[in-house]
């Protein structure tokens, strides 16, 4: 079913919305990775809390006490204003846009967060709450959301041979993938790329003093993953000045550290895929497999509905 367009326009989304699936809770949200939304303060002081929320969230979200309207750029070059709740996640937003457009629904449709000023972007994980993401944007930044087709969205589970079986095995065991090797590194404070041996750990990426093959090894954390996300430079190596085109950025989500980021550059496409997939597993763990399982279940349901609609009635 991966990447298959089952139904066109809003019909597939309507089937999902009219089914027994609760789209506001499409996937279990890991609370340790969730930032409280400004909308959670509605309570009894609805009017005052709505005023606070409106001043906190950027122009991409227009908030009132009753609803939140988020603007998303579609693949058809149109702007879609979508109503969301504080629990609405990225996959929910995909369905909402498909429902309002003629875009064909497929498993590879994704919401992409674009940080225009920093020239960075990332694909939101299915379970991420959209309003929480927007709430972390500093005021005055040209950030935006986009609907795009991402063929590699579920590559870790659909094509595990691409990022190497060690990643899938680590996901199943709930352990940190065994990933280490040379990467080019550049912090937001220094303009020079330096090559280091790095090791993926549960709390981040660490510098290693050992060369490949050495038995003695000393590690120091280079970047922690607490309140961070992984981004890809817009425009690739030419725009970022990276030594190769296989670069990624680990950036803080804290508003007071809006420009704090460390850039990494791999030597090959295989290394790039392995590091990015491994970091995603460390950040989100088994939640990634749950995301994939839920969407596959929904698309299997759509396939059955489509088949039953074509079958003659008895």
């Amino acid at each position: 079913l991966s990447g298959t367009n089952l139904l066109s326009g809003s019909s597939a989304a309507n089937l999902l919305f009219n089914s027994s699936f609760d789209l506001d809770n499409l996937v279990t949200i890991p609370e340790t990775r969730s930032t409280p939304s400004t909308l959670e303060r509605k309570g009894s002081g609805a009017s005052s809390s709505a005023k606070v929320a409106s001043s906190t969230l950027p122009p991409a979200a227009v908030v009132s006490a009753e609803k939140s309207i988020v603007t998303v750029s579609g693949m058809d070059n149109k702007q879609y204003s979508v109503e969301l709740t504080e629990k609405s996640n990225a996959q929910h937003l995909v369905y909402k846009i498909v429902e309002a457009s003629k875009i064909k629904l497929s498993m590879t449709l994704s919401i992409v967060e674009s940080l225009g000023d920093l020239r960075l972007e990332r694909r939101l994980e299915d379970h991420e709450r959209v309003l929480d993401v927007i709430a972390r944007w500093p005021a005055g930044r040209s950030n935006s959301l986009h609907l795009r087709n991402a063929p590699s969205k579920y590559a870790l589970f659909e094509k595990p041979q691409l990022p190497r079986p060690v990643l899938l095995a680590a996901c199943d065991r709930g352990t940190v993938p065994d990933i280490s090797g040379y990467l080019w590194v550049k912090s937001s404070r220094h303009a020079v790329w330096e090559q280091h041996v790095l090791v993926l750990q549960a709390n981040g990426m660490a510098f290693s003093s050992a060369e490949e093959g050495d038995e003695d090894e000393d590690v120091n954390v280079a970047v922690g993953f607490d309140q961070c996300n992984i981004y890809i430079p817009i425009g690739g190596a030419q725009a970022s000045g990276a030594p190769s085109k296989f670069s990624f950025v680990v950036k803080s989500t804290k508003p007071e550290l809006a420009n704090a980021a460390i850039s990494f550059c791999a030597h090959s496409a295989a290394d790039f895929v392995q590091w990015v997939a491994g970091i995603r597993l460390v950040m989100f763990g088994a939640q990634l497999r749950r995301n994939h399982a839920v969407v596959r279940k929904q698309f299997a349901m759509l396939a059955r509905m489509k088949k039953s609609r074509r079958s003659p009635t008895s």
Side-chain angles (χ1 to χ4, degrees):
L1 293 176
S2 178
T4 303
N5 296 322
L6 296 177
L7 298 171
S8 62
S10 62
S11 55
N14 283 331
L15 284 175
L16 285 172
F17 276 102
N18 293 328
S19 72
S20 60
F21 287 105
D22 180 3
L23 294 180
D24 277 337
N25 297 285
L26 178 66
V27 185
T28 303
I29 310 296
E31 295 301 326
T32 56
R33 292 286 299 170
S34 177
T35 302
S37 169
T38 54
L39 297 182
E40 292 179 2
R41 293 189 288 243
K42 287 190 291 189
S44 58
S47 60
S48 61
S49 64
K51 190 178 298 182
V52 170
S54 297
S55 63
T56 303
L57 293 180
V62 179
V63 182
S64 71
E66 293 79 24
K67 59 184 179 181
S68 305
I69 307 299
V70 174
T71 301
V72 182
S73 299
M75 297 185 300
D76 52 5
N77 296 320
K78 294 181 180 179
Q79 298 287 317
Y80 292 93
S81 296
V82 183
E83 182 177 336
L84 299 179
T85 70
E86 59 188 23
K87 293 182 180 180
S88 299
N89 56 49
Q91 189 64 25
H92 187 178
L93 181 53
V94 168
Y95 293 145
K96 283 273 194 176
I97 297 173
V98 170
E99 183 188 30
S101 69
K102 295 182 180 179
I103 298 172
K104 291 184 178 180
L105 179 64
S106 76
M107 282 184 63
T108 55
L109 287 180
S110 302
I111 300 298
V112 172
E113 175 193 17
S114 176
L115 308 183
D117 293 345
L118 299 178
R119 303 290 296 168
L120 299 174
E121 65 181 20
R122 73 180 181 100
R123 184 181 69 243
L124 298 189
E125 304 295 351
D126 292 347
H127 66 277
E128 290 188 74
R129 296 183 181 183
V130 178
L131 294 182
D132 287 354
V133 172
I134 295 175
R136 294 193 290 262
W137 292 352
R141 295 296 180 94
S142 58
N143 299 342
S144 55
L145 296 176
H146 304 262
L147 177 69
R148 293 183 190 163
N149 185 44
S152 63
K153 182 177 182 179
Y154 299 118
L156 179 61
F157 306 106
E158 299 284 349
K159 300 176 181 179
Q161 72 276 9
L162 293 182
R164 303 179 186 179
V166 65
L167 297 175
L168 199 58
C171 181
D172 293 337
R173 295 193 303 266
T175 59
V176 177
D178 183 14
I179 301 176
S180 63
Y182 283 102
L183 288 175
W184 294 93
V185 184
K186 184 183 74 170
S187 72
S188 54
R189 296 181 180 179
H190 302 88
V192 179
W193 289 91
E194 298 179 343
Q195 191 169 219
H196 295 276
V197 176
L198 284 110
V199 180
L200 184 63
Q201 297 184 334
N203 61 338
M205 297 171 69
F207 291 125
S208 171
S209 62
E211 299 293 333
E212 289 187 357
D214 288 352
E215 295 183 359
D216 296 328
E217 185 176 14
D218 183 29
V219 295
N220 296 292
V221 175
V223 54
F225 292 153
D226 182 42
Q227 297 188 58
C228 287
N229 279 317
I230 184 168
Y231 291 84
I232 306 299
I234 298 174
Q238 186 174 2
S240 63
S244 79
K245 62 182 179 181
F246 310 116
S247 59
F248 58 93
V249 177
V250 177
K251 179 189 172 302
S252 173
T253 60
K254 299 177 182 179
E256 66 271 20
L257 298 175
N259 295 323
I262 296 184
S263 300
F264 299 89
C265 188
H267 289 261
S268 67
D271 288 345
F272 170 84
V273 169
Q274 180 170 249
W275 276 103
V276 171
I279 292 170
R280 289 175 61 222
L281 280 175
V282 170
M283 287 181 170
F284 301 105
Q287 183 68 60
L288 297 182
R289 183 179 282 283
R290 288 196 291 271
N291 292 351
H292 176 244
V294 168
V295 174
R296 280 192 63 85
K297 181 178 180 181
Q298 292 182 333
F299 270 70
M301 180 197 70
L302 286 178
R304 290 194 299 270
M305 287 184 172
K306 184 178 180 181
K307 183 177 180 180
S308 64
R309 283 186 171 188
R310 289 180 174 177
S311 300
T313 56
S314 55

